[in-house]
């Protein structure tokens, strides 16, 4: 729909030259804006942002005090979703390179041309309004995506009651491992989602396989192992922001190439799959299966350690050991 810009937008001015400050303030009032705060230092600006929550900030790059305008804008960006337009008489390459990293909504060179000031403000408010709507839509889409993933996981657990909260357990442990390994937030989110559905292909496996107290025979094994490909086929056409289908396909691969379905080795297996492989195996060890009694956490970690570099990524196993033994990770009850 059409985006409406408030003419009575609240604007904050951060400028340490009194004459320029007054001139800009009068111009803004003449344009129909509300000047909600004026600051002369970066420290004062941050304090007044908290108090007045402006819709936009006009920020002089060179300010007195320890924080210049760029450092101030960076701090404001990390804490508040407020657009910034820089005011500067010094457009040096060094300043511009630093300023770019704070993703400003415009630059105005002093002396300020008043018509340009109004145009830049209107454009910044419009651009920020559009970006805010897009962010809100992305949040809604992510919520739908998470709900869809949760529903898929429940489908497997309803069909196979022996695994309990298996997918939820693997997801929370995968997240802890990913955080310990220093992955970024977006990649951690992808690992969590992939872990929740890593065995979604199990819905294609006959129910009696899950309750069989003895090992599967060779032909049954082939049917069972096909669940990785089945899961990939179910997910591959969904436009995820993460390699979820690929992680589902590869999470039963082994570092030495002895896994399935493709016999991939080492770095050919994506990191998300290597993390899920360790987390899912640990959960199977400590919670058991119809043909495999549960064992203690220490014994489970010892088994993982014995297979480091052979079946499992050594760095992932080390991270798993650290979160369980040193950081006291516990599965949700």
């Amino acid at each position: 729909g059409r985006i409406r810009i408030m003419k009575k937008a609240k604007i904050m001015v951060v400028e340490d030259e009194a004459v320029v400050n007054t001139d800009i303030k009068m111009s803004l009032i003449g344009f129909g804006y509300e000047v909600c705060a004026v600051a002369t230092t970066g420290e004062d600006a941050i304090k007044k942002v908290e108090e007045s929550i402006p819709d936009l900030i006009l920020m002089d790059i060179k300010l007195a005090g320890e924080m210049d305008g760029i450092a101030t804008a960076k701090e404001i960006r990390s804490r508040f979703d407020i657009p910034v337009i820089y005011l500067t008489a010094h457009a040096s390459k060094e300043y511009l390179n630093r300023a770019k990293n704070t993703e400003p909504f415009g630059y105005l060179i002093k002396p300020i041309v008043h018509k340009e000031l109004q145009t830049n403000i209107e454009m910044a408010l419009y651009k920020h309004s559009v970006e805010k709507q897009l962010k809100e839509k992305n949040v809604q889409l992510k919520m739908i995506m998470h709900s869809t993933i949760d529903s898929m996981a429940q489908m497997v657990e309803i069909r196979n009651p022996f695994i309990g909260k298996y997918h939820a357990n693997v997801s929370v442990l995968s997240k802890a491992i990913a955080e310990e390994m220093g992955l970024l937030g977006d990649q951690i989110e992808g690992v969590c989602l992939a872990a929740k559905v890593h065995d979604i292909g199990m819905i294609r496996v006959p129910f009696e396989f899950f309750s069989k107290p003895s090992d599967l025979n060779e032909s049954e094994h082939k049917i069972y192992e096909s669940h990785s490909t089945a899961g990939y086929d179910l997910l591959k056409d969904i436009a995820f922001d993460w390699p979820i289908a690929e992680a589902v396909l590869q999470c039963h691969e082994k570092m030495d190439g002895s896994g399935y379905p493709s016999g991939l080795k080492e770095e050919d297996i994506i990191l998300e799959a290597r993390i899920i492989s360790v987390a899912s195996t640990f959960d199977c060890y400590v919670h058991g299966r119809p043909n495999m009694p549960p064992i203690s956490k220490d014994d489970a970690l010892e088994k993982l350690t014995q297979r480091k570099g052979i079946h499992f990524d050594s760095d992932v196993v080390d991270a798993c050991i650290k979160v369980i033994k040193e950081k006291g990770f516990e599965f949700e009850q």
Side-chain angles (χ1 to χ4, degrees):
R2 191 171 166 219
I3 297 167
R4 182 176 64 87
I5 301 299
M6 287 189 309
K7 285 303 292 180
K8 202 68 174 172
K10 294 164 59 179
I11 303 202
M12 176 177 174
V13 182
V14 185
E15 167 63 64
D16 60 4
E17 293 183 44
V19 174
V20 177
N21 211 326
T22 301
D23 189 37
I24 291 173
K25 183 177 177 181
M26 294 306 296
S27 294
L28 293 173
I29 293 170
F31 294 145
Y33 300 121
E34 175 190 344
V35 180
C36 63
V38 173
T40 57
T41 68
E43 293 81 2
D44 188 37
I46 292 168
K47 181 181 177 183
K48 287 181 176 176
V49 166
E50 293 175 340
E51 295 170 352
S52 59
I53 312 296
D55 298 306
L56 181 140
I57 299 171
L58 296 174
M59 177 79 69
D60 188 10
I61 283 183
K62 295 198 79 176
L63 295 171
E66 294 183 9
M67 298 178 72
D68 66 9
I70 298 171
T72 305
K74 184 178 180 181
E75 175 74 11
I76 289 170
R77 177 171 173 75
S78 70
R79 295 171 57 188
F80 309 95
D81 184 23
I82 300 172
V84 171
I85 294 175
Y86 284 123
L87 312 176
T88 179
H90 306 276
S92 70
K93 191 172 182 180
E94 178 198 350
Y95 275 120
L96 289 175
N97 285 337
R98 283 182 58 217
K100 281 179 190 175
N101 293 329
T102 63
E103 299 182 21
F105 281 70
Y107 297 88
L108 285 169
I109 307 298
K110 296 179 184 178
I112 305 300
V113 178
H114 289 204
K115 193 61 182 174
E116 287 184 8
L117 175 62
Q118 185 180 21
T119 302
N120 271 264
I121 290 171
E122 288 294 318
M123 289 177 65
L125 289 171
Y126 178 81
K127 182 183 175 187
H128 184 252
S129 179
V130 171
E131 289 186 358
K132 191 172 182 180
Q133 285 192 6
L134 287 173
K135 285 178 184 176
E136 289 171 355
K137 286 181 180 177
N138 285 336
V139 168
Q140 290 174 352
L141 287 172
K142 280 197 173 186
M143 288 174 64
I144 293 169
M145 192 75 73
H146 279 264
S147 297
T148 302
I149 290 288
D150 287 339
S151 296
M152 288 179 172
Q154 287 174 16
M155 285 166 55
V156 181
E157 288 165 10
I158 290 169
R159 179 171 169 76
N160 182 3
F162 300 102
I163 63 175
K165 293 184 177 180
Y166 172 55
H167 283 96
N169 287 344
V170 175
S171 182
V172 292
L173 180 52
S174 293
K175 179 182 180 183
I177 293 171
E179 289 173 342
E180 180 61 34
M181 295 182 72
L183 272 64
L184 298 177
D186 192 58
Q187 193 173 10
I188 291 171
E189 185 176 6
V191 171
C192 292
L193 287 173
K196 283 186 177 181
V197 288
H198 74 278
D199 275 345
I200 184 68
M202 289 286 193
I203 61 175
R204 299 263 183 91
V205 176
F207 174 77
E208 57 268 22
F209 285 20
F210 302 127
S211 57
K212 191 174 180 180
S214 60
D215 291 338
L216 301 177
N217 61 41
E218 187 175 345
S219 62
E220 289 170 335
H221 253 301
K222 285 184 178 179
I223 295 171
Y224 177 84
E225 290 179 358
S226 70
H227 80 267
S228 293
T229 305
Y232 175 77
D233 289 340
L234 286 169
L235 300 168
K236 66 181 180 179
D237 294 326
I238 302 176
F240 292 114
D241 291 332
W242 312 271
I244 290 179
E246 290 77 9
V248 168
L249 181 65
Q250 297 179 17
C251 67
H252 294 289
E253 301 284 2
K254 301 288 190 287
M255 296 296 282
D256 63 358
S258 64
Y260 62 87
S262 303
L264 300 179
K265 291 184 178 181
E266 300 179 347
E267 299 298 321
D268 290 336
I269 308 166
I270 62 171
L271 180 57
E272 289 86 347
R274 283 179 267 149
I275 291 172
I276 293 168
S277 176
V278 170
S280 62
T281 303
F282 180 81
D283 180 79
C284 287
Y285 282 153
V286 297
H287 291 118
R289 291 295 179 267
N291 63 341
M292 185 177 73
I295 60 177
S296 70
K297 287 182 181 178
D298 287 340
D299 287 344
L301 292 177
E302 179 59 31
K303 278 180 170 286
L304 288 176
T305 301
Q306 290 170 0
R307 297 163 69 186
K308 266 174 49 171
I310 303 169
H311 289 174
F312 304 120
D313 183 312
S314 297
D315 292 337
V316 177
V317 173
D318 289 342
C320 181
I321 292 170
K322 193 165 186 179
V323 299
I324 290 166
K325 296 202 79 169
E326 296 182 23
K327 300 195 172 179
F329 172 89
E330 294 284 349
F331 289 116
E332 295 176 7
Q333 298 300 315

